[in-house]
Amino acid sequence: MFSLKKQRLIMYPPNTTTLQQDLNRFQSWASNMGMKLNPTKCKALHLGRSNPLQEYTMLLNDNTQHHIMTTTEEKDLGVIVDSGSTFSKHIQTQVNKANSVLGAIKHTFKAMDPTAFLSLYKSLVRPNLEYASVIWSPKLKRDKDALEYVQRRATRLVTELSGKSYEERLQTLELPTLEFRGQRADMIQMFKLVHGLEELNPAPCSECGKMMIQPALNVSNRGHDFKLQIQHEPRPRDNFFTRRATRNWNGLTQDTVSANCVNIFKNRLTKEWKNKPERYHYRFSY
């Protein structure tokens, strides 16, 4: 049993024909290799407002054509991807999981000190809210609030912090907001990509001609030597990693981005961002 994902950028009508040809070639290859496919389990996920929503087909075992079912969301490697690229369904699913674990902790422990709380929260609750956050970083304010509310609810379990505001509880526990943690995760991922610590195809996209990350055209005026171009993307791609993370990355100091390993970068980033407003402050919309 195996899983296959096939994608193609659809900018012009001929691209839909090319994608169908890709599917035909793959099915032919699988047949020659003695592998049986189950087209009834295949799904097509269309992304983008201008997507022509083309129907695609595959052959069943009796050589009859089967129209691939269209879906608006699909789970891939633990992340629910939706056609609007908002990741709202994924965020709500993870919030529900975190709340369930938090409820179990609340019913198990009548009272907790900060040390016990941090150990339980960081190991059992927060991972549900941060797994692969570089991919699904929340775009909508209501999704950001939903994530942060879980942590706000969790910090109320610390008995000795009763009566304090959310910001005061975070400062006492030295527990950053999830918004701050998300920005930090973006910087760590960008550091890995810029310094070649994770594999990235350096060639531009064959369809649109863009590269995932592009060095800034001029780094002589100010900033560090690893500045990147700020890419302007149309909706719904305006919250993609390369767009939202570049401005923060360009604002870092030369000493921080020149670290020779990830751990040193993390330490320098922590020192540089120790007074960042988002560290302990979050404004809910309600």
Side-chain angles (χ1 to χ4, degrees):
M1 180 178 179
F2 66 96
S3 175
L4 171 75
K5 294 178 287 291
K6 175 60 184 175
Q7 62 181 14
R8 181 173 287 275
L9 179 63
I10 305 296
M11 298 183 67
Y12 307 101
N15 293 134
T16 60
T17 303
T18 305
L19 180 54
Q20 180 62 62
Q21 292 172 347
D22 291 342
L23 292 174
N24 296 341
R25 282 194 293 267
F26 172 72
Q27 193 162 26
S28 176
W29 172 84
S31 177
N32 293 335
M33 297 297 292
M35 294 188 295
K36 291 185 178 181
L37 303 179
N38 190 349
T40 59
K41 292 186 177 181
C42 296
K43 298 178 183 178
L45 177 64
H46 301 288
L47 303 175
R49 294 184 176 182
S50 59
N51 196 299
L53 305 180
Q54 175 72 27
E55 285 192 348
Y56 299 97
T57 62
M58 293 181 70
L59 292 178
L60 296 172
N61 292 332
D62 59 1
N63 288 328
T64 58
Q65 279 198 342
H66 170 76
H67 290 274
I68 297 177
M69 179 174 57
T70 299
T71 184
T72 58
E73 59 189 40
E74 189 65 24
K75 191 172 185 178
D76 182 26
L77 298 178
V79 177
I80 300 176
V81 182
D82 60 88
S83 57
S85 298
T86 63
F87 295 98
S88 292
K89 178 63 179 296
H90 174 78
I91 291 172
Q92 191 56 55
T93 299
Q94 297 308 110
V95 165
N96 292 342
K97 288 181 181 179
N99 277 326
S100 296
V101 176
L102 194 58
I105 294 174
K106 183 177 180 180
H107 286 87
T108 305
F109 299 89
K110 292 184 178 180
M112 275 190 290
D113 60 20
T115 302
F117 165 76
L118 289 173
S119 178
L120 290 168
Y121 175 73
K122 290 182 178 180
S123 60
L124 300 178
V125 181
R126 194 168 67 181
N128 288 297
L129 306 174
E130 293 187 330
Y131 169 73
S133 64
V134 171
I135 302 297
W136 56 263
S137 180
K139 172 183 178 181
L140 304 178
K141 179 61 175 174
R142 67 169 182 264
D143 292 333
K144 296 178 182 179
D145 287 348
L147 289 167
E148 204 70 45
Y149 182 77
V150 177
Q151 182 161 280
R152 185 173 74 172
R153 178 189 171 209
T155 55
R156 289 173 179 161
L157 297 178
V158 184
T159 312
E160 63 187 65
L161 299 182
S162 177
K164 292 188 176 184
S165 67
Y166 178 47
E167 185 171 346
E168 290 172 334
R169 296 197 298 271
L170 294 182
Q171 290 175 341
T172 302
L173 296 167
E174 296 184 353
L175 189 68
T177 64
L178 293 176
E179 181 181 35
F180 175 87
R181 294 268 304 174
Q183 294 177 6
R184 179 177 179 272
D186 284 346
M187 294 302 96
I188 295 171
Q189 183 62 43
M190 187 67 81
F191 176 83
K192 293 177 180 178
L193 294 176
V194 170
H195 289 274
L197 301 179
E198 288 193 355
E199 191 172 335
L200 177 67
N201 186 359
C205 173
S206 60
E207 301 287 348
C208 67
K210 291 185 178 181
M211 297 174 62
M212 183 175 177
I213 56 175
Q214 302 182 67
L217 299 178
N218 188 352
V219 296
S220 60
N221 293 335
R222 58 181 179 178
H224 52 76
D225 296 338
F226 300 97
K227 285 179 64 177
L228 303 173
Q229 292 184 39
I230 297 177
Q231 302 186 28
H232 301 282
E233 299 286 356
R235 298 178 66 184
R237 294 181 296 175
D238 55 356
N239 193 51
F240 277 15
F241 168 74
T242 50
R243 174 170 169 79
R244 70 171 187 270
T246 303
R247 197 174 298 276
N248 277 336
W249 172 260
N250 288 347
L252 298 179
T253 63
Q254 179 70 37
D255 181 60
T256 300
V257 300
S258 299
N260 55 20
C261 72
V262 176
N263 286 334
I264 293 178
F265 173 77
K266 290 179 180 178
N267 293 334
R268 292 178 181 177
L269 181 65
T270 299
K271 292 179 181 179
E272 183 172 344
W273 278 11
K274 65 180 180 180
N275 296 320
K276 193 174 177 67
E278 296 90 340
R279 185 177 181 87
Y280 297 120
H281 177 73
Y282 181 84
R283 178 175 293 182
F284 290 91
S285 59
Y286 51 86

